[in-house]
Amino acid sequence: MVIRTISTLLMLGAVYMGLKQGYAMLDVKPQMLGMFSKWGFNKTGIMINGAVTIIAALLILHPKTFLWGNFLMAAGILLIICFHLLDRDLKGVAIELPFLLLNLVILYLGHPLKR
């Protein structure tokens, strides 16, 4: 019961963060434009990345698409980590790493409604 509650809270937290960051990218907020433009993304690329992030967050909610949603979310986070590493920005990597680990923990615990 406790594991299911923890799994649910972690999953909902990841979904919330995915929707929040995805919307910030879809709306092309200035901080997102500043971060992604230095890696060669234009507004359209940022918006597509935001749409994929929102889709990944929504896929996490359903037990049948849970795995794919987490893979998409982790791939997006890993992409950002790789860009930070190309810039030798270890602070940026350190900021993104807990989000990647959160997705891995959620994958390990599984979807709370699947049991």
Side-chain angles (χ1 to χ4, degrees):
M1 185 66 166
V2 173
I3 301 253
R4 182 179 282 188
T5 305
I6 291 171
S7 178
T8 303
L9 290 174
L10 288 175
M11 183 185 76
L12 291 176
V15 169
Y16 170 74
M17 287 185 295
L19 291 173
K20 182 179 170 219
Q21 293 302 320
Y23 179 73
M25 286 186 262
L26 197 61
D27 199 34
V28 192
K29 301 269 185 208
Q31 60 269 30
M32 290 295 170
L33 185 60
M35 182 172 78
F36 281 97
S37 64
K38 69 181 178 183
W39 298 325
F41 282 77
N42 59 12
K43 284 187 176 187
T44 306
I46 297 169
M47 290 173 70
I48 291 170
N49 198 11
V52 169
T53 303
I54 290 172
I55 290 168
L58 294 175
L59 287 174
I60 291 172
L61 290 173
H62 195 275
K64 290 189 178 189
T65 57
F66 174 77
L67 184 68
W68 292 106
N70 269 299
F71 279 157
L72 267 176
M73 188 77 74
I77 295 168
L78 194 58
L79 175 75
I80 293 171
I81 287 174
C82 289
F83 281 131
H84 280 302
L85 285 173
L86 283 174
D87 290 342
R88 300 193 192 287
D89 179 15
L90 294 180
K91 182 181 175 189
V93 172
I95 290 170
E96 295 293 332
L97 203 55
F99 301 113
L100 179 64
L101 293 175
L102 175 65
N103 276 101
L104 296 177
V105 168
I106 291 170
L107 275 171
Y108 175 76
L109 292 175
H111 195 283
L113 300 179
K114 194 171 186 178
R115 296 184 190 104

